[in-house]
Each structure stands twice: as structure tokens, then as C-alpha cells.
Amino acid sequence: ILALHVFAIFPLPHTYASRPGKSTVAVKPGVQQIVLFTRGRWDKCTSVTVELSDENNVLILLGKLTPFNKCFSWELWEDGAWSNGATLTVQLEGVTLTISRKEYTPEVRCVGKRKRSRGEEEEEDKAKGQENICPNASEKATPHRRGRNSLRAGQTRLFPRKEEQSTTHTSQNPRTKAKQSKTPTQTAAVDSPSGRWGQTLCQIDPQTAILIGGQGARMQFCKDPIWKLCTEDLSWVPAETLAEGPTPEARIGHTATYDPESKRIFVFGGSKHKKWFNDVHILDTQSWRWTMVEAQGKVPPLAYHSCTLFRGELFVFGGVFPRPHPEPDGCSDSLYIFNPEMAIWYQPIVNGDKPAPRSGHSACVMQGKIFFFGGWDTPVCFNDMFLLDLCLMEFSAVQTNGSAPSPRSWHGCAVLSDSCFLVHGGYNGNDALSDTFIFNTDTSCWTSLTLPQLTSVPRAGHSIITMATACTKDSSDEQDEFSESSSQTMLIFGGGDNEGSFFSDLITMPVKDVCE
């Protein structure tokens, strides 16, 4: 028997409806926090689907409990998504479901925590400021966080201008301002992902892409972490419950790399608050099953690194790695290779001019080389370019010409053709950017583009991919076959603008229009 326990802070009603495999619980407006956890034998049950909907039956939370993830919580004061109550629905098949409920009414409305002095609040906020930190503990890895966090001397947070402005802009009515900024991004629509940054988006076939992870406003990790995008009609399908096996824990700054030969997605690294990952999760897109690799060899926990695929192996470069407190976290300049066939990590012998340590950079494989651009290592933001010759295993700096992008990190990057890749947006240490550039590997030349679809909104931490477009020609059409670029579509999703907004929009553009 699998038992599901619902723990609510502030009154939870004693009435609920149930039928075999499905139960619903009405949640009154006074509830501020709900914690769900399971006890007992899972046996043949692989997952428990949980939905939390508001009084209008609009989905607030879509989650899943598994033998590997037996608990999660939802807090009203972080999302502010309901005001008139909600309904909690739990569904599973093939087992007996027992629900127990427990109520807790704290003496203080700060959810069981004792009142703190101002000095204690400042100390706690300083500690929280260490969550999701990037290079050398001097920048925040999330584009936006409101709060009273005080900075130590010499620290610079990621997207600091928004925090500086928020004190002024919300002084007249901070409660109203905060609600405006977080409601659109944290209340997930049923048919599309919530607003986020730091997610991954990768193509698995000409009609499908998979979205994994990300983080929204107020450092909240997305409660709808996995989606499937059908490019034929640009529709989204929640995919967390579609696959069996241990789903990767929520994270940001990870990489998701698709291998077309084995038809598998490799998810590596990332971070979640103070937790860092060096695990490898594999999603088999044919069997739709997750597995976690027990790899041999050593690779440090990394976030905001790059990961590229070449001849069936994953090449991981750079990123942020944690150091023991109080030493600040640092950036890596090391190259690690993961061999999926042997399930082993190793470090190759490389020669040449290695790039400086960095994170938030981009990397793409072209013509047997990996091209690395930009990145961040506090207090420096880069716009240099290096390549790794995969035949010689030799690094070299690329001497470029033309209109080069300004220094940036957390930008979007996508391969457009055999000799061109695109760079868009990013963060320069002060602001999110909206400019676009194309680099030609044959001429080593940068070209600046004006694309109205992309320049209207600055964004960083977004995803850009190119996908094959299903093209049909009339039988009377005597034109030559379409070129590679004319049968490709570029998709841009998500990101943040350094002004408190986190996007869930999907922009599509024919690659041929970009290359013209």
C-alpha cells in the first residue's frame, strides 16, 4: 500500500473526494504551504501525478512523485497564485491509494519560524546570497531576485541594476509591484511552459524538441520542468510524466545534449541553490525512459559549462565549480570527456593556447572544431574566441575581424550552416542585451544583424536552436532543391530581461531570412 501524506500549514478541510486511483482535496484560502510525501511500498507503481488548480480550474502546479523523488512542497507566499482556494488532485493506477492529512497552525505567521532581529535577517540574507552563485562568488546565477540582501565589499551580483531599481520602484506600493512581476511567470498555463531562464532546449527529431529545467522569478525553480515542443503546430505538451525512471532533480545551468545516433539526451551538471551536480542522466527518446549513469572517472560538479557532442562523446569545458566556504567558487578552464559506451569520464591531453577560465560561454562544433565564444569570470566578461581542433586536440585563439559582439555571457548561440553560427543577446555585467551577430568560420569575420523580432526585448539565459523544416514542393516546381539553410527554422525560447520579467514566448524565424 502506497500512502500519500498531505501536510498543510493553516486549515486544510476534512472533506475530499476519491475513486480508485484518483483523489481530490479542496484547499481553502487560509493554506499557505502544502507538503506532499509518500510512505510505503511502491511495488509496480512508478509515479504519482499531482495537480494543483485554482478556483477557476487553472493549473498552478503539475508535478510527479517517484521512488526517487518522494516529496515536494508548494508555498503560497512565493508564488501568490491563488486567493480563493484551490484543488489538489492526485492520480495513479494499479495500486491502493491512502491519503492522510495533517494541519498545523503556527503561533507566528512567518510559518513556524521565530521572529528575527534585523541583524539576524541581514546575516541570513547574506547566506542566501550564496545560492546559485557564479564565478568566484561575486555574481548571482539568477537574473532577478528581490529582497534585502546586502553585499559584501567588492561583490557584484548578476543583474544588479534590477535589485538597485526595485528598492526605488516598489517603495510606494511594494506589495502590488511584487505581485505584478511574479504572477505571469510563476502561474504555469496548462498548454505552455512557465517563464524561465537557464533551461535547455534540444531537438530530437524534425518535429520535436525537449525543454528541460530552468528557473523563474524569486529564484523559484520551475515546477513544470520538462516539456515537449511539437514544431508542426508549435504546441507544447507537459512531458515530466511521459517518461519512466528517475527524473533529474530540478536544476539550472545544466546542459542537455542529443545524440542522433543513439537517440538519447544526455543531461549533465547544473546547480540548485547550494547544491551542485556532476551526475549524468540519460533520456532514451525511443523507450521514453530516464536512467542515471554510474560513471567511472572523476569530473567536478559544474554549472554554466558548455557541452558538445563529437563522434559519440561529450566534450565538457569550463563552468563554475564549488569550493569550500569561505573560499569563493571558481571558474574552470579544464576539458572533460564523457564516453557513454564505457560510462567513463577522462581528461585528454591538450596543447596550444587554452582559453582563460570562464562560465556562461557558448560552444558549437563545426568542421571538426569546437568554437568557444564569450563567457564570464568575475569581474571580467569576455568577447574573445577560441577553437579546439578535435583531430589535433589543440587549442588556439581565433583572430577575428568585422563588427564583433561586445563582451557577454549567458547569450544564445546556434549553428546556421556548415560555416556560420549566430550569437544573440546575453548579459554584459550590467544589462541584458538584444543585439545579434553571425560569425563565419571560413573568413573569421563577424557581421552585425538587425532582426526586429529579436531586438525588441533584451534577454539572457535563453535557448536558441535550429531545426529542419518539413518542406514540400509542387510537382510543377522546376527549381533546384532547397539549400540547407532554406529548410531550417530557428527557434528562440525563454530568458530574462534584467527587469524582473522571465519569458515563456517562442519566436520562430526561417534561417534563410537570418542568413540573407
Side-chain angles (χ1 to χ4, degrees), residues 203-243:
Q203 177 187 11
I204 63 173
D205 60 50
Q207 291 81 36
T208 312
I210 301 296
L211 173 69
I212 300 176
Q215 188 181 56
R218 297 178 63 85
M219 293 187 70
Q220 296 305 301
F221 285 85
C222 297
K223 300 184 175 65
D224 52 338
I226 304 177
W227 288 80
K228 181 165 69 171
L229 172 66
C230 303
T231 58
E232 290 180 323
D233 57 0
L234 298 180
S235 62
W236 292 97
V237 178
E240 185 180 9
T241 59
L242 296 182

Side-chain angles (χ1 to χ4, degrees), residues 32 44 54 71-72 144 184 190 273 335 381 411 448-449 492:
Q32 289 195 355
K44 296 181 180 179
D54 65 13
C71 175
F72 67 81
H144 168 64
V190 176
H273 300 308
L335 178 69
C381 204
H411 48 277
S448 176
L449 299 182
I492 303 96

